[in-house]
Amino acid sequence: QHALHSGVRHYHVAPVLCQRAKVAMSHFEPNEYINYEKLEKNINIVRKRLDRPLTLSEKIVYGHLDDPAKQEIERGKTYLRLRPDRVAMQDATAQMAMLQFISSGLPKVAVPSTIHCDHLIEAQSGGEKDLQRAKDINKEVYNFLSTAGAKYGVGFWKPGSGIIHQIILENYSYPGVMLIGTDSHTPNGGGLGGICIGVGGADAVDVMAGIPWELKCPKVIGVKLTGKLSGWTSPKDVILKVAGILTVKGGTGAIIEYHGPGVDSISCTGMATICNMGAEIGATTSIFPYNERMKKYLGKTGRADIAALADEFKEHLVPDSGCQYDQMIEINLSELKPHINGPFTPDLAHPVSDIGAVAEKEGWPVDIRVGLIGSCTNSSYEDMGRSAAVAKQALAHGLKCKSKFTITPGSEQIRATIERDGYAKVLREVGGLVLANACGPCIGQWDRKDIKKGEKNTIVTSYNRNFTGRNDANPETHAFVTSPEIVTALSIAGTLKFNPETDYLTGADGKKFKLEAPDADELPRLEFDPGQDTYQYPPKDGSGQRVDVSPTSQRLQLLEPFDKWDGKDLEDMLILIKVKGKCTTDHISAAGPWLKFRGHLDNISNNLLIGAINIENGKANSVRNALTQEFGPVPDTARYYKKMGVKWAVVGDENYGEGSSREHAALEPRHLGGRVIITKSFARIHETNLKKQGLLPLTFADPADYNKIHPVDKLSIVGLKDFAPGKPLKCIIKHPNGSQETIMLNHTFNESQIEWFQAGSALNRMKELQQKSS
């Protein structure tokens, strides 16, 4: 014991260490062990090669290299081949991921993997009723995921378990883990010191198949935190401030690494909140260094053995002294004020003290119709406690919420614990409705009845995204994101013009009073109440398990391989749509009611680009059919081109495909005959998803060339026979008057990704390699 603590583990205590280090990654997988020794070995190999101090991000990423001795490493340029520790999938994306895994022909997943049923539960009348309704409506999908999990060795968290990211934090994330998840908010696990990255389903299939996973070597943006959080300022305000600094694309291609003395004033779940919303600035992921707050959380969630092991290897779970960042931001937490971001974009940052005046000036509705707390970003025990602390003060003065108010617990464990400890009762008494343990309104699963579509209104949430129409499908809903306690205070006041730091409320007795800054325990004083058991273990041998997909199903559809590249240039492609402005994955493949078709590629393709604005007429879901000259819906036009054997392209603007990780936004254009997406720039996950499905994501060498292409033009991509990493491609633009011009297009394909394109998709390429090896 003394030898271990004195740091001489590389010498005579090695056998003792090996015995001591046999700690399971999770209670649910007692035979899958944390391998810090391998992490340490790889880090030492890379440190010797690079001969410089390493950031924490580099340690964990490079510590998972497939070949640390030979891997070329250059931040922002080279592609790394990595071996993640595990995979997590939420039910909306797991359908397509598991369908692709089934298509691979492999018998079982190669790494620990889980499915989490959280996306298909619509908020309507309250937790229990909504959950039962979802089980009835989605029975076919849940059965598919359950049986597929059993057959292929994947753990299954049943509907009602909670939101994937909260469950990962409670059970699966740990310092130094590399986890990939089929949801863009997977970085939530960085709150426990892990490198947790959101990906598309095809990436998850690579990892589940035991194939090295490719990631462009991330840059590292350092955020140094000084001072201390206090008063109304919360962890959410840190990321709201960072989002305002970096904008929705400022973190693209980079890991955000928080460090500095201010870190220790933030709870573990608060760090998770900050990492979670790093997805809104395009970051590959975000991470905090291992510290006592993480150790405390691990102990409270029954993982003291992991904390003890992490203590032994702590030098590898914090950044090296003197490490260099590609960019540095410094935030003094003592000076940070409560923020509220929006509307319509999560990087439009305002101090809460200013938002009322800004809203009046901009013509945004100041009356708040609904306040919503919870979501994967802010549904921890501490979050609920701080909201309840605000609600108690209002109740003591005879007040309830003026706005409608909803509460979404992050997990069954959180729900059961806040019920036991009285938080849920207080939040109900102030006027709140407790929803199911699921994503709900945050992802558009909200059967909203209090307004009509097209009615201008304001909502405030503790969620992460507030794109147009995301929460309730109403483009006139002005959604703002802030902390749970600010949502609660504003819901009580009913207006954006209320600043809880300075303004007074009038109690039922007519007397004015001021809300005090909330104070709450970061973790329950008693142990967490686990609530109902909602986990299904995969059997040791699932080979006899049957997975049914009916050929007549409207929810599920087995996949057919995409066609291979014919070896020729792409000539005379029509332009399906030239997109104007912001085009997120919500615009490309809407969520909400379309979630029910996530396992049926042909059906869900009927939402292709229906939210994107056509530059030709300024309308959504209205494009010119170049063959008939009639305007019609985007999916119908794409289907017509496919029927006529005509290839087509999409032209996009900046940061095309930002937001969710949903690979349907890449599968749909490929399914309906698309070949090329040309933009000023791409969001990371979407660009990778397009490559995986055999499409060509290309960017203008000169962004001004976006203006040279008109919706009525034809495009030819020249040079595909000599397609090579780093070599630009030519695009010939043919105008209707017979004139033409040539522009250059850049790409980020490496050699293996070019093979994906040539094979028709990454999955096709995987099958080719399997056939060769067998």
Side-chain angles (χ1 to χ4, degrees):
Q1 182 79 2
H2 173 73
L4 284 165
H5 281 289
S6 64
V8 290
R9 60 170 173 267
H10 303 298
Y11 191 47
H12 61 280
V13 296
V16 179
L17 182 65
C18 289
Q19 183 180 6
R20 188 185 164 103
K22 216 169 176 64
V23 174
M25 285 197 283
S26 167
H27 296 311
F28 296 101
E29 295 137 1
N31 298 318
E32 298 284 352
Y33 303 110
I34 296 173
N35 195 345
Y36 280 148
E37 288 93 343
K38 182 178 179 182
L39 184 77
E40 180 177 62
K41 179 182 177 182
N42 287 0
I43 290 170
N44 288 338
I45 291 171
V46 173
R47 181 183 278 114
K48 187 175 180 181
R49 287 181 55 201
L50 298 182
D51 192 27
R52 61 172 173 78
L54 300 177
T55 67
L56 171 59
S57 310
E58 290 182 305
K59 288 182 180 182
I60 302 177
V61 173
Y62 304 161
H64 286 83
L65 285 170
D66 183 49
D67 187 354
K70 297 179 181 178
Q71 171 70 61
E72 188 179 354
I73 299 171
E74 187 176 356
R75 285 187 199 167
K77 292 188 177 180
T78 58
Y79 277 87
L80 306 179
R81 290 166 60 84
L82 300 163
R83 292 283 185 178
D85 297 302
R86 64 179 310 118
V87 171
M89 300 168 280
Q90 41 95 334
D91 51 353
T93 51
Q95 295 171 63
M96 195 56 68
M98 292 309 296
L99 286 166
Q100 290 178 85
F101 189 81
I102 290 170
S103 295
S104 76
L106 296 168
K108 191 174 182 178
V109 296
V111 300
S113 303
T114 50
I115 294 169
H116 304 259
C117 295
D118 63 358
H119 270 58
L120 301 178
I121 303 169
E122 185 180 51
Q124 194 177 70
S125 55
E128 291 184 10
K129 290 182 179 178
D130 293 347
L131 176 58
Q132 187 54 53
R133 180 168 171 265
K135 287 179 178 178
D136 294 340
I137 292 172
N138 302 306
K139 184 177 180 180
E140 180 186 15
V141 171
Y142 292 147
N143 178 64
F144 167 73
L145 293 174
S146 171
T147 55
K151 184 172 182 66
Y152 296 105
V154 179
F156 180 69
W157 287 86
K158 301 173 187 176
S161 301
I163 305 172
I164 177 173
H165 311 302
Q166 182 67 27
I167 292 175
I168 287 172
L169 200 71
E170 293 172 352
N171 299 285
Y172 297 115
S173 186
Y174 60 82
V177 71
M178 175 172 275
L179 178 152
I180 71 164
T182 61
D183 189 277
S184 56
H185 292 104
T186 301
N188 191 80
L192 255 178
I195 288 290
C196 303
I197 302 176
V199 299
D203 277 339
V205 171
D206 278 356
V207 180
M208 291 191 291
I211 296 172
W213 174 61
E214 289 192 350
L215 175 73
K216 181 178 276 192
C217 187
K219 294 184 178 181
V220 188
I221 298 174
V223 179
K224 184 178 181 181
L225 302 178
T226 61
K228 185 178 180 181
L229 286 177
S230 62
W232 284 92
T233 306
S234 73
K236 185 68 164 280
D237 297 308
V238 176
I239 186 57
L240 294 177
K241 177 71 172 178
V242 171
I245 294 169
L246 289 177
T247 77
V248 289
K249 64 175 183 175
T252 302
I255 294 175
I256 313 296
E257 184 172 312
Y258 295 87
H259 61 283
V263 167
D264 293 332
S265 75
I266 305 173
S267 66
C268 178
T269 52
M271 290 186 249
T273 291
I274 295 167
C275 291
N276 176 293
M277 207 175 150
E280 271 51 73
I281 52 177
T284 300
T285 192
S286 301
I287 191 170
F288 278 83
Y290 177 59
N291 67 0
E292 288 297 313
R293 305 298 279 266
M294 294 183 191
K295 183 176 180 178
K296 187 176 179 181
Y297 183 79
L298 285 167
K300 201 60 147 175
T301 52
R303 295 175 288 170
D305 53 347
I306 294 179
L309 187 63
D311 284 342
E312 299 293 343
F313 288 84
K314 186 172 181 179
E315 67 183 277
H316 302 303
L317 306 174
V318 297
D320 286 342
S321 177
C323 66
Q324 296 296 309
Y325 296 98
D326 295 284
Q327 181 180 346
M328 179 68 84
I329 296 168
E330 186 166 335
I331 297 175
N332 185 339
L333 300 179
S334 300
E335 298 174 355
L336 184 63
K337 287 293 188 180
H339 273 63
I340 183 168
N341 288 21
F344 306 126
T345 184
D347 60 345
L348 186 57
H350 320 273
V352 171
S353 57
D354 297 346
I355 189 61
V358 173
E360 286 191 321
K361 179 183 176 183
E362 298 292 337
W364 303 333
V366 295
D367 291 338
I368 298 167
R369 298 294 289 267
V370 190
L372 306 99
I373 65 170
S375 86
C376 65
T377 316
N378 277 115
S379 56
S380 68
Y381 184 82
E382 181 182 35
D383 289 328
M384 296 298 165
R386 285 173 69 88
S387 290
V390 175
K392 278 182 183 178
Q393 296 179 60
L395 290 169
H397 290 84
L399 294 186
K400 292 190 175 185
C401 291
K402 287 186 178 178
S403 310
K404 290 181 180 293
F405 186 50
T406 69
I407 302 99
T408 303
S411 67
E412 171 60 10
Q413 180 166 275
I414 293 295
R415 183 208 63 78
T417 306
I418 66 171
E419 288 286 0
R420 181 197 68 192
D421 293 352
Y423 291 168
K425 182 175 183 289
V426 170
L427 294 170
R428 286 191 187 97
E429 287 177 351
V430 84
L433 174 67
V434 178
L435 301 174
N437 315 321
C439 299
C442 183
I443 58 155
Q445 285 284 42
W446 185 14
D447 185 20
R448 190 178 180 190
K449 302 291 190 183
D450 64 300
I451 60 159
K452 295 179 180 178
K453 190 168 183 178
E455 183 180 343
K456 199 173 180 179
N457 74 105
T458 284
I459 65 173
V460 292
T461 82
S462 70
Y463 302 165
N464 41 50
R465 290 199 176 127
N466 56 350
F467 300 138
T468 303
R470 177 174 173 87
N471 303 124
D472 61 2
N474 179 12
E476 290 300 325
T477 293
H478 293 56
F480 296 84
V481 291
T482 184
S483 68
E485 52 266 48
I486 294 293
V487 172
T488 307
L490 293 179
S491 298
I492 292 165
T495 175
L496 289 176
K497 296 170 72 173
F498 178 70
N499 177 10
E501 288 191 300
T502 58
D503 296 345
Y504 287 78
L505 294 168
T506 303
D509 59 2
K511 296 180 180 178
K512 292 187 177 296
F513 72 97
K514 191 163 166 277
L515 293 171
E516 298 296 326
D519 185 31
D521 294 333
E522 81 181 80
L523 293 166
R525 296 177 186 183
L526 301 175
E527 297 305 308
F528 275 109
D529 183 338
Q532 299 179 40
D533 183 6
T534 55
Y535 180 71
Q536 172 187 294
Y537 288 86
K540 289 184 179 179
D541 181 7
S543 58
Q545 175 69 52
R546 182 179 177 86
V547 181
D548 287 325
V549 177
S550 169
T552 60
S553 172
Q554 294 302 301
R555 299 287 302 269
L556 299 164
Q557 181 187 46
L558 292 174
L559 297 174
E560 295 291 333
F562 289 131
D563 60 312
K564 290 185 66 171
W565 175 55
D566 62 7
K568 301 176 182 178
D569 288 337
L570 295 167
E571 297 183 347
D572 293 335
M573 291 180 294
L574 299 179
I575 297 171
L576 178 66
I577 182 173
K578 182 180 178 183
V579 178
K580 178 183 178 182
K582 186 185 283 285
C583 189
T584 72
T585 48
D586 281 310
H587 293 88
I588 304 167
S589 176
W594 292 95
L595 284 169
K596 61 178 173 285
F597 296 127
R598 284 286 181 85
H600 197 293
L601 179 55
D602 194 57
N603 281 346
I604 200 169
S605 293
N606 288 322
N607 75 2
L608 174 65
L609 286 159
I610 61 175
I613 300 301
N614 179 11
I615 199 169
E616 186 175 6
N617 56 12
K619 296 180 179 180
N621 202 25
S622 175
V623 295
R624 183 194 301 272
N625 183 321
L627 302 180
T628 68
Q629 296 304 309
E630 296 177 355
F631 278 84
V634 183
D636 293 0
T637 307
R639 286 187 186 278
Y640 186 84
Y641 291 163
K642 182 180 181 181
K643 180 182 176 182
M644 302 304 292
V646 176
K647 296 179 176 68
W648 52 263
V650 170
V651 178
D653 213 317
E654 293 275 8
N655 206 30
Y656 184 89
E658 70 175 274
S660 169
S661 69
R662 72 190 62 150
E663 66 178 345
H664 298 78
L667 283 158
E668 291 174 33
R670 183 71 166 97
H671 174 63
L672 294 186
R675 286 295 184 268
V676 181
I677 314 292
I678 306 171
T679 71
K680 294 179 182 177
S681 62
F682 285 98
R684 174 191 64 85
I685 300 176
H686 187 59
E687 181 179 22
T688 301
N689 288 345
L690 291 168
K691 292 177 182 178
K692 286 278 185 177
Q693 303 307 333
L695 282 149
L696 280 176
L698 306 172
T699 55
F700 295 103
D702 180 357
D705 287 345
Y706 168 86
N707 298 316
K708 293 181 178 178
I709 298 178
H710 305 287
V712 292
D713 294 336
K714 291 183 179 180
L715 305 178
S716 295
I717 305 300
V718 178
L720 290 176
K721 291 180 181 179
D722 300 315
F723 196 13
K727 186 176 181 180
L729 293 168
K730 289 183 180 179
C731 176
I732 299 173
I733 307 168
K734 297 180 180 179
H735 302 299
N737 63 5
S739 65
Q740 62 183 47
E741 53 190 316
T742 300
I743 61 173
M744 301 305 295
L745 301 175
N746 292 331
H747 65 85
T748 60
F749 281 80
N750 62 20
E751 290 180 359
S752 62
Q753 292 169 351
I754 290 173
E755 291 175 358
W756 299 346
F757 167 72
Q758 292 169 340
S761 71
L763 186 59
N764 288 0
R765 181 58 179 158
M766 181 197 300
K767 291 179 180 178
E768 287 180 355
L769 294 173
Q770 285 175 350
Q771 289 168 359
K772 286 181 180 179
S773 66
S774 63

